[in-house]
Amino acid sequence: MTVTQSPSDLADFSTSLQSVVDTVVAPAARRVDAEAAFPRENIDALAQAGALGILSAAEVGGSARGLRAAAAVIERLGSACGSTAMVVLMHYAAVPVIEAHGPRDVREAIGSGRHLTTLAFSEVGSRSHFWAPMSTAKEVDGHVRLDAQKSWVTSAGQSDSYVWSSRPLTGDAGMTLWLVPARTAGLSQTGSFDGLGLRGNGSTPMAASDLHVSQSAMLGQDGAGLDVALTLVLPNFLVLNAAFSLGLMEATATETAAHLTGTRLAHLDQTLAQQQTVRLDFARLRGQVDQTRAFLEDTLNALESGRPDAMLRVLEVKAAASEAALQVTDLAMKLCGGAAFRKELGIERRFRDARAARVMAPTTDALLDFVGRATLGLPLLEDVVAR
Ligand SMILES: Cc1cc2nc3c(=O)[nH]c(=O)nc-3n(C[C@H](O)[C@H](O)[C@H](O)COP(=O)(O)OP(=O)(O)OC[C@H]3O[C@@H](n4cnc5c(N)ncnc54)[C@H](O)[C@@H]3O)c2cc1C
């Protein structure tokens, strides 16, 4: 439940967040990208500003600001540093599951900003089909033994816990979720991350081998993990991913505009912005950003008012935003020419960062298939899961 915030409280949070973005996150963005460094200082400063606890209930020390506020945080971070935005995004995607089904001490640690979490869904075997985990959970001497090969885990080795998917304890099909503490024996990072973009988000593969958790680590009912993921993870993940793409696009548009208005063709005594074809391309770019903002706003409105098309909007918004971000960053690379090709403008970093959202599960293709199914009266996942 979202708690009504007083205007001064909202303004205070917004001011301290912007201060962290301007003084800590943005100045470090180039280094985080160049060194593929996990942005630990950024996360600590954001925790200090209260950003990690905004989806936690007041009773556990959080500020319960809700999804719209989380989207605003991710958009601002996405404008400054894609890697930092993705770390916080995955935290926000996992928190609602812990809030609904996790233990009080972990909820309190998240609420007060002392605990970073993430999702460990994608697997080596079933790849982007997160709804079909191949990893196992078995009851052994009153404990639960987890074995898994996870293919991508943002903040791997940096998180305090992992919201973890496996097959159910009983039966072969379906999914169960677990809260796996970071320092559990049997948990390991099995590779490093040297990616094209989002180079600081620390997305490495992880393995669980003879990892033991207690029965109480189960998040929700055995076998009900997919329902939990669809209701508590998916809406946040998709909406926040769209906010991430939007932030990245806004920064790209601002940097592109500054280059076009500040760069001159000396022999004509004109700026690049005074060239008509440049203006046409920039108008296309700006239109994509504004359409994405309107789509995201409509999705949030649909969710908040319980509109019948809310779930359809949620399924559409990440795909729409990530495709727009691909086009916007590509246009910016063209518009800013050789200057964009070099690292000085920051546009090539955003071009690389923008490429992740399309392949983050549910991928654009999977979402388009879901939207097609939903609008053609077909079941969303039934026959896909059974395959
Ligand atoms: C930066 C980054 C951070 C990530 N962080 C996390 C994380 O924190 N937690 C986590 O669980 N995962 C994470 N992931 C993994 C992500 O969610 C996807 O699972 C992963 O990117 C998919 O890559 P893949 O090679 O396994 O995809 P594949 O499954 O091999 O898919 C490759 C392509 O084939 C398409 N495809 C696959 N199946 C079908 C189908 N049936 N029909 C049509 N098209 C299909 C896909 O859409 C995609 O375009 C992250 C990924 C990235 C890039």
Side-chain angles (χ1 to χ4, degrees):
M1 198 214 325
T2 306
V3 170
T4 310
Q5 317 276 324
S6 74
S8 68
D9 173 54
L10 283 174
D12 284 352
F13 175 63
S14 180
T15 307
S16 47
L17 176 71
Q18 196 58 49
S19 163
V20 171
V21 169
D22 292 342
T23 62
V24 183
V25 178
R30 232 166 122 171
R31 183 186 61 78
V32 165
D33 176 60
E35 297 174 8
F38 186 80
R40 175 48 67 185
E41 300 81 10
N42 298 354
I43 300 304
D44 291 346
L46 289 163
Q48 196 76 30
L52 295 191
I54 66 169
L55 294 180
S56 300
E59 65 178 48
V60 291
S63 53
R65 291 174 200 275
L67 185 54
R68 184 180 287 273
V73 172
I74 297 299
E75 185 191 330
R76 285 199 214 178
L77 292 176
S79 283
C81 171
S83 294
T84 305
M86 190 51 66
V87 168
V88 178
L89 192 166
M90 296 314 291
H91 173 81
Y92 287 163
V95 165
V97 183
I98 300 176
E99 271 292 289
H101 300 290
R104 176 120 192 160
D105 61 331
V106 175
R107 293 180 58 212
E108 285 175 352
I110 293 173
S112 61
R114 289 177 284 116
H115 187 113
L116 181 71
T117 190
T118 190
L119 295 178
F121 280 11
S122 304
E123 299 194 351
V124 170
S126 49
R127 307 182 70 83
S128 60
H129 298 203
F130 68 89
W131 50 85
M134 302 189 72
S135 61
T136 55
K138 302 274 177 229
E139 210 169 326
V140 179
D141 299 333
H143 277 80
V144 175
R145 173 185 165 148
L146 299 175
D147 291 276
Q149 296 286 335
K150 298 288 177 182
S151 52
W152 296 81
V153 182
T154 292
S155 313
Q158 299 282 345
S159 273
D160 298 291
S161 67
Y162 302 89
V163 171
W164 186 277
S165 60
S166 76
R167 288 186 177 184
L169 274 177
T170 50
D172 267 348
M175 173 165 151
T176 297
L177 298 183
W178 307 92
L179 184 63
V180 175
R183 280 165 292 283
T184 311
L187 183 63
S188 61
Q189 278 174 267
T190 49
S192 55
F193 180 63
D194 185 9
L196 173 77
L198 299 186
R199 289 173 47 77
N201 89 135
S203 272
T204 75
M206 293 193 88
S209 175
D210 196 11
L211 182 157
H212 285 219
V213 289
S214 67
Q215 286 269 0
S216 64
M218 192 186 285
L219 296 166
Q221 302 285 310
D222 189 34
L226 186 55
D227 285 343
V228 174
L230 293 181
T231 52
L232 294 177
V233 177
L234 201 66
N236 274 27
F237 176 76
L238 295 177
V239 167
L240 296 177
N241 219 289
F244 161 84
S245 292
L246 179 60
L248 193 146
M249 279 189 271
E250 280 289 10
T252 304
T254 303
E255 281 157 6
T256 303
H259 181 77
L260 298 180
T261 52
T263 305
R264 302 191 73 75
L265 294 163
H267 62 297
L268 301 176
D269 193 24
Q270 289 178 347
T271 63
L272 287 173
Q274 286 172 287
Q275 314 309 305
Q276 190 187 29
T277 50
V278 165
R279 288 196 298 276
L280 300 186
D281 271 346
F282 189 75
R284 287 190 187 97
L285 181 161
R286 191 61 247 175
Q288 293 269 16
V289 186
D290 293 339
Q291 283 169 33
T292 305
R293 182 173 297 289
F295 203 142
L296 177 59
E297 177 66 20
D298 186 60
T299 305
L300 287 164
N301 289 341
L303 282 168
E304 285 167 359
S305 62
R307 246 170 45 197
D309 62 347
M311 203 53 205
L312 179 62
R313 287 285 170 276
V314 166
L315 291 174
E316 291 171 331
V317 74
K318 171 184 175 268
S322 60
E323 291 304 300
L326 292 175
Q327 289 171 30
V328 161
T329 51
D330 189 49
L331 263 177
M333 289 293 293
K334 177 188 173 206
L335 277 166
C336 299
F341 207 79
R342 290 193 298 256
K343 293 197 183 288
E344 67 214 33
L345 293 182
I347 285 176
E348 62 82 39
R349 168 165 59 86
R350 301 184 196 286
F351 175 84
R352 290 183 284 105
D353 285 352
R355 262 120 199 99
R358 173 168 54 179
V359 296
M360 291 190 76
T363 64
T364 295
D365 286 346
L367 287 167
L368 293 178
D369 189 33
F370 293 160
V371 170
R373 284 164 178 269
T375 48
L376 292 170
L378 296 167
L380 213 56
L381 275 174
E382 230 166 57
D383 52 336
V384 184
V385 172
R387 232 178 260 160

